[in-house]
Short mmCIF file of all heavy atoms in Angstrom, two decimals:
data_model
loop_
_atom_site.label_atom_id
_atom_site.label_comp_id
_atom_site.label_asym_id
_atom_site.label_seq_id
_atom_site.Cartn_x
_atom_site.Cartn_y
_atom_site.Cartn_z
N GLN A 1 111.18 107.31 77.88
CA GLN A 1 112.46 107.67 78.50
C GLN A 1 112.36 107.67 80.02
O GLN A 1 113.26 107.18 80.71
CB GLN A 1 112.93 109.05 78.00
CG GLN A 1 113.29 109.08 76.55
CD GLN A 1 112.07 109.36 75.65
OE1 GLN A 1 110.93 109.40 76.08
NE2 GLN A 1 112.34 109.55 74.37
N LEU A 2 111.28 108.23 80.56
CA LEU A 2 111.10 108.25 82.01
C LEU A 2 110.92 106.82 82.53
O LEU A 2 111.48 106.46 83.56
CB LEU A 2 109.92 109.12 82.41
CG LEU A 2 109.62 109.21 83.91
CD1 LEU A 2 110.84 109.71 84.69
CD2 LEU A 2 108.41 110.11 84.14
N ALA A 3 110.15 106.02 81.82
CA ALA A 3 109.95 104.63 82.23
C ALA A 3 111.29 103.90 82.31
O ALA A 3 111.55 103.17 83.27
CB ALA A 3 109.00 103.92 81.27
N VAL A 4 112.14 104.09 81.33
CA VAL A 4 113.46 103.46 81.34
C VAL A 4 114.27 103.95 82.54
O VAL A 4 114.91 103.16 83.23
CB VAL A 4 114.21 103.73 80.01
CG1 VAL A 4 115.68 103.31 80.11
CG2 VAL A 4 113.52 103.00 78.86
N GLY A 5 114.20 105.24 82.82
CA GLY A 5 114.91 105.78 83.98
C GLY A 5 114.43 105.20 85.30
O GLY A 5 115.18 105.13 86.27
N MET A 6 113.17 104.76 85.33
CA MET A 6 112.61 104.14 86.53
C MET A 6 112.88 102.64 86.57
O MET A 6 112.47 101.96 87.50
CB MET A 6 111.10 104.40 86.62
CG MET A 6 110.76 105.81 86.98
SD MET A 6 108.99 106.00 87.38
CE MET A 6 108.25 105.92 85.75
N GLY A 7 113.53 102.10 85.54
CA GLY A 7 113.89 100.69 85.55
C GLY A 7 112.96 99.79 84.76
O GLY A 7 113.02 98.56 84.89
N PHE A 8 112.11 100.38 83.92
CA PHE A 8 111.20 99.60 83.08
C PHE A 8 111.70 99.66 81.64
O PHE A 8 112.48 100.54 81.29
CB PHE A 8 109.77 100.16 83.19
CG PHE A 8 109.25 100.18 84.60
CD1 PHE A 8 109.32 101.32 85.37
CD2 PHE A 8 108.71 99.03 85.16
CE1 PHE A 8 108.85 101.35 86.68
CE2 PHE A 8 108.23 99.04 86.47
CZ PHE A 8 108.31 100.20 87.23
N ALA A 9 111.25 98.75 80.80
CA ALA A 9 111.71 98.72 79.41
C ALA A 9 111.17 99.91 78.61
O ALA A 9 111.88 100.47 77.77
CB ALA A 9 111.29 97.41 78.74
N ASP A 10 109.93 100.28 78.86
CA ASP A 10 109.27 101.40 78.18
C ASP A 10 107.96 101.67 78.92
O ASP A 10 107.70 101.05 79.96
CB ASP A 10 109.02 101.10 76.70
CG ASP A 10 108.23 99.82 76.45
OD1 ASP A 10 107.46 99.37 77.34
OD2 ASP A 10 108.38 99.25 75.36
N GLU A 11 107.15 102.57 78.41
CA GLU A 11 105.91 102.95 79.08
C GLU A 11 104.95 101.75 79.19
O GLU A 11 104.31 101.56 80.23
CB GLU A 11 105.23 104.11 78.34
CG GLU A 11 104.03 104.64 79.07
CD GLU A 11 102.76 104.55 78.27
OE1 GLU A 11 102.81 104.20 77.08
OE2 GLU A 11 101.69 104.82 78.84
N GLN A 12 104.83 100.95 78.17
CA GLN A 12 103.94 99.79 78.23
C GLN A 12 104.41 98.78 79.28
O GLN A 12 103.60 98.19 80.00
CB GLN A 12 103.81 99.13 76.85
CG GLN A 12 102.97 99.93 75.89
CD GLN A 12 101.56 100.18 76.44
OE1 GLN A 12 100.86 99.27 76.85
NE2 GLN A 12 101.16 101.44 76.45
N ASP A 13 105.73 98.60 79.39
CA ASP A 13 106.27 97.72 80.42
C ASP A 13 105.98 98.28 81.80
O ASP A 13 105.64 97.54 82.72
CB ASP A 13 107.78 97.52 80.22
CG ASP A 13 108.36 96.54 81.21
OD1 ASP A 13 107.82 95.41 81.34
OD2 ASP A 13 109.36 96.89 81.87
N LEU A 14 106.09 99.59 81.97
CA LEU A 14 105.76 100.23 83.24
C LEU A 14 104.32 99.88 83.64
O LEU A 14 104.07 99.48 84.78
CB LEU A 14 105.92 101.75 83.16
CG LEU A 14 105.35 102.50 84.36
CD1 LEU A 14 106.43 103.27 85.09
CD2 LEU A 14 104.26 103.44 83.93
N LEU A 15 103.39 100.00 82.71
CA LEU A 15 101.99 99.70 83.01
C LEU A 15 101.80 98.23 83.39
O LEU A 15 101.11 97.91 84.36
CB LEU A 15 101.10 100.08 81.83
CG LEU A 15 101.08 101.57 81.47
CD1 LEU A 15 100.27 101.80 80.21
CD2 LEU A 15 100.58 102.41 82.63
N ARG A 16 102.44 97.34 82.63
CA ARG A 16 102.35 95.90 82.95
C ARG A 16 102.97 95.60 84.32
O ARG A 16 102.39 94.87 85.12
CB ARG A 16 103.06 95.07 81.88
CG ARG A 16 102.27 94.83 80.62
CD ARG A 16 102.94 93.81 79.71
NE ARG A 16 104.30 94.18 79.33
CZ ARG A 16 104.61 94.98 78.31
NH1 ARG A 16 103.65 95.53 77.59
NH2 ARG A 16 105.87 95.26 78.03
N GLN A 17 104.15 96.15 84.54
CA GLN A 17 104.85 95.87 85.79
C GLN A 17 104.13 96.49 86.99
O GLN A 17 104.13 95.91 88.09
CB GLN A 17 106.30 96.37 85.72
CG GLN A 17 107.15 95.66 84.68
CD GLN A 17 107.24 94.16 84.91
OE1 GLN A 17 107.26 93.69 86.05
NE2 GLN A 17 107.29 93.40 83.84
N CYS A 18 103.53 97.65 86.81
CA CYS A 18 102.77 98.25 87.92
C CYS A 18 101.60 97.35 88.30
O CYS A 18 101.31 97.19 89.49
CB CYS A 18 102.28 99.66 87.56
SG CYS A 18 103.58 100.91 87.68
N ARG A 19 100.94 96.76 87.33
CA ARG A 19 99.86 95.80 87.63
C ARG A 19 100.42 94.60 88.40
O ARG A 19 99.83 94.15 89.39
CB ARG A 19 99.15 95.35 86.35
CG ARG A 19 98.22 96.39 85.78
CD ARG A 19 97.35 95.85 84.66
NE ARG A 19 98.09 95.41 83.49
CZ ARG A 19 98.44 96.20 82.48
NH1 ARG A 19 98.12 97.47 82.48
NH2 ARG A 19 99.11 95.71 81.46
N ARG A 20 101.55 94.09 87.92
CA ARG A 20 102.18 92.93 88.59
C ARG A 20 102.60 93.29 90.01
O ARG A 20 102.34 92.52 90.96
CB ARG A 20 103.40 92.47 87.79
CG ARG A 20 104.14 91.29 88.43
CD ARG A 20 105.39 90.92 87.66
NE ARG A 20 106.42 91.94 87.68
CZ ARG A 20 107.27 92.14 88.68
NH1 ARG A 20 107.22 91.39 89.77
NH2 ARG A 20 108.19 93.09 88.60
N LEU A 21 103.20 94.45 90.18
CA LEU A 21 103.67 94.87 91.51
C LEU A 21 102.50 95.12 92.46
O LEU A 21 102.56 94.76 93.64
CB LEU A 21 104.56 96.10 91.39
CG LEU A 21 105.90 95.86 90.69
CD1 LEU A 21 106.57 97.18 90.34
CD2 LEU A 21 106.80 94.96 91.53
N ARG A 22 101.43 95.71 91.95
CA ARG A 22 100.23 95.92 92.78
C ARG A 22 99.69 94.58 93.27
O ARG A 22 99.34 94.43 94.44
CB ARG A 22 99.13 96.64 91.99
CG ARG A 22 99.36 98.10 91.81
CD ARG A 22 98.14 98.81 91.20
NE ARG A 22 97.17 99.01 92.26
CZ ARG A 22 96.00 98.41 92.34
NH1 ARG A 22 95.60 97.57 91.41
NH2 ARG A 22 95.19 98.64 93.34
N THR A 23 99.63 93.62 92.37
CA THR A 23 99.13 92.29 92.73
C THR A 23 100.05 91.65 93.77
O THR A 23 99.58 91.11 94.78
CB THR A 23 99.01 91.40 91.49
OG1 THR A 23 98.07 92.00 90.59
CG2 THR A 23 98.57 89.99 91.84
N ALA A 24 101.34 91.71 93.53
CA ALA A 24 102.31 91.11 94.46
C ALA A 24 102.20 91.75 95.85
O ALA A 24 102.20 91.04 96.86
CB ALA A 24 103.73 91.26 93.92
N LEU A 25 102.08 93.07 95.89
CA LEU A 25 101.93 93.74 97.18
C LEU A 25 100.63 93.32 97.86
O LEU A 25 100.60 93.09 99.07
CB LEU A 25 101.97 95.26 97.00
CG LEU A 25 103.33 95.86 96.64
CD1 LEU A 25 103.17 97.31 96.21
CD2 LEU A 25 104.30 95.74 97.81
N GLY A 26 99.57 93.23 97.10
CA GLY A 26 98.28 92.83 97.65
C GLY A 26 98.26 91.41 98.17
O GLY A 26 97.53 91.09 99.11
N GLN A 27 99.06 90.55 97.56
CA GLN A 27 99.13 89.14 97.97
C GLN A 27 100.28 88.88 98.93
O GLN A 27 100.52 87.73 99.31
CB GLN A 27 99.27 88.25 96.74
CG GLN A 27 98.07 88.30 95.84
CD GLN A 27 98.25 87.50 94.55
OE1 GLN A 27 99.35 87.06 94.20
NE2 GLN A 27 97.17 87.34 93.82
N ASP A 28 101.00 89.92 99.31
CA ASP A 28 102.17 89.81 100.19
C ASP A 28 103.20 88.83 99.63
O ASP A 28 103.84 88.08 100.35
CB ASP A 28 101.75 89.41 101.61
CG ASP A 28 102.82 89.74 102.63
OD1 ASP A 28 103.60 90.70 102.42
OD2 ASP A 28 102.90 89.03 103.66
N ALA A 29 103.36 88.85 98.30
CA ALA A 29 104.35 88.01 97.64
C ALA A 29 105.74 88.64 97.81
O ALA A 29 105.86 89.87 97.83
CB ALA A 29 104.02 87.87 96.16
N PRO A 30 106.77 87.85 97.92
CA PRO A 30 108.12 88.39 98.05
C PRO A 30 108.56 89.14 96.79
O PRO A 30 108.27 88.70 95.67
CB PRO A 30 109.01 87.17 98.26
CG PRO A 30 108.09 86.04 98.52
CD PRO A 30 106.76 86.39 97.97
N LEU A 31 109.22 90.28 96.99
CA LEU A 31 109.76 91.07 95.88
C LEU A 31 111.26 91.22 96.05
O LEU A 31 111.75 91.32 97.18
CB LEU A 31 109.13 92.46 95.86
CG LEU A 31 107.63 92.55 95.57
CD1 LEU A 31 107.14 93.98 95.74
CD2 LEU A 31 107.33 92.04 94.18
N GLY A 32 111.97 91.27 94.92
CA GLY A 32 113.40 91.51 94.95
C GLY A 32 113.70 92.99 95.12
O GLY A 32 112.80 93.85 94.99
N ALA A 33 114.94 93.30 95.38
CA ALA A 33 115.35 94.69 95.62
C ALA A 33 115.02 95.60 94.43
O ALA A 33 114.58 96.74 94.63
CB ALA A 33 116.85 94.74 95.92
N ALA A 34 115.22 95.12 93.21
CA ALA A 34 114.92 95.95 92.04
C ALA A 34 113.44 96.29 91.97
O ALA A 34 113.06 97.42 91.64
CB ALA A 34 115.38 95.26 90.75
N ASP A 35 112.57 95.32 92.29
CA ASP A 35 111.14 95.60 92.29
C ASP A 35 110.77 96.58 93.40
O ASP A 35 109.91 97.44 93.21
CB ASP A 35 110.34 94.31 92.44
CG ASP A 35 110.17 93.58 91.12
OD1 ASP A 35 110.30 94.21 90.05
OD2 ASP A 35 109.90 92.36 91.16
N TRP A 36 111.39 96.45 94.56
CA TRP A 36 111.14 97.43 95.62
C TRP A 36 111.58 98.82 95.19
O TRP A 36 110.89 99.81 95.43
CB TRP A 36 111.83 97.01 96.92
CG TRP A 36 111.07 95.97 97.67
CD1 TRP A 36 111.45 94.67 97.87
CD2 TRP A 36 109.80 96.12 98.29
NE1 TRP A 36 110.48 94.01 98.59
CE2 TRP A 36 109.45 94.87 98.86
CE3 TRP A 36 108.90 97.18 98.42
CZ2 TRP A 36 108.26 94.67 99.56
CZ3 TRP A 36 107.71 96.98 99.11
CH2 TRP A 36 107.40 95.74 99.67
N ALA A 37 112.73 98.90 94.52
CA ALA A 37 113.23 100.19 94.05
C ALA A 37 112.31 100.78 92.99
O ALA A 37 112.00 101.98 93.01
CB ALA A 37 114.66 100.05 93.52
N ARG A 38 111.85 99.96 92.05
CA ARG A 38 110.91 100.44 91.03
C ARG A 38 109.61 100.93 91.66
O ARG A 38 109.07 101.97 91.28
CB ARG A 38 110.58 99.32 90.03
CG ARG A 38 111.69 98.98 89.09
CD ARG A 38 111.20 97.91 88.10
NE ARG A 38 112.33 97.32 87.43
CZ ARG A 38 112.82 96.11 87.70
NH1 ARG A 38 112.27 95.33 88.60
NH2 ARG A 38 113.86 95.67 87.04
N THR A 39 109.11 100.18 92.62
CA THR A 39 107.88 100.55 93.31
C THR A 39 108.03 101.89 94.01
O THR A 39 107.17 102.77 93.89
CB THR A 39 107.48 99.45 94.32
OG1 THR A 39 107.23 98.24 93.61
CG2 THR A 39 106.26 99.85 95.12
N LEU A 40 109.13 102.05 94.72
CA LEU A 40 109.35 103.30 95.45
C LEU A 40 109.51 104.48 94.50
O LEU A 40 108.87 105.52 94.67
CB LEU A 40 110.58 103.17 96.35
CG LEU A 40 110.91 104.40 97.19
CD1 LEU A 40 109.75 104.78 98.11
CD2 LEU A 40 112.18 104.15 98.00
N LEU A 41 110.33 104.33 93.48
CA LEU A 41 110.57 105.42 92.54
C LEU A 41 109.30 105.78 91.77
O LEU A 41 108.98 106.96 91.60
CB LEU A 41 111.70 105.06 91.57
CG LEU A 41 112.17 106.15 90.61
CD1 LEU A 41 112.54 107.43 91.36
CD2 LEU A 41 113.34 105.63 89.79
N ALA A 42 108.56 104.78 91.33
CA ALA A 42 107.30 105.04 90.62
C ALA A 42 106.31 105.76 91.53
O ALA A 42 105.58 106.66 91.08
CB ALA A 42 106.70 103.73 90.11
N THR A 43 106.30 105.42 92.81
CA THR A 43 105.42 106.09 93.78
C THR A 43 105.86 107.54 93.97
O THR A 43 105.02 108.45 93.96
CB THR A 43 105.43 105.33 95.12
OG1 THR A 43 104.91 104.01 94.91
CG2 THR A 43 104.61 106.05 96.17
N GLU A 44 107.14 107.75 94.17
CA GLU A 44 107.65 109.11 94.38
C GLU A 44 107.31 110.02 93.20
O GLU A 44 106.81 111.14 93.38
CB GLU A 44 109.18 109.07 94.58
CG GLU A 44 109.60 108.39 95.86
CD GLU A 44 111.08 108.06 95.91
OE1 GLU A 44 111.76 108.05 94.85
OE2 GLU A 44 111.57 107.78 97.00
#
């Protein structure tokens, strides 16, 4: 439920997407607004 509230499909998707987002940030790959919002909310 919390994962969905943060914009992920479920907890497993959150874990997959966090790995993807970490990689994208590390490689300075462009992210869309939804990914930036997910990253910020997950961090908070």
Side-chain angles (χ1 to χ4, degrees):
Q1 294 87 352
L2 180 57
V4 169
M6 288 191 285
F8 302 96
D10 55 25
E11 187 239 353
Q12 287 303 308
D13 184 52
L14 169 119
L15 297 175
R16 280 190 303 276
Q17 296 301 325
C18 282
R19 285 190 296 273
R20 179 183 66 80
L21 293 167
R22 284 189 78 247
T23 298
L25 289 168
Q27 295 175 349
D28 200 29
L31 295 174
D35 278 338
W36 280 112
R38 287 184 195 104
T39 298
L40 181 59
L41 186 54
T43 298
E44 293 166 343

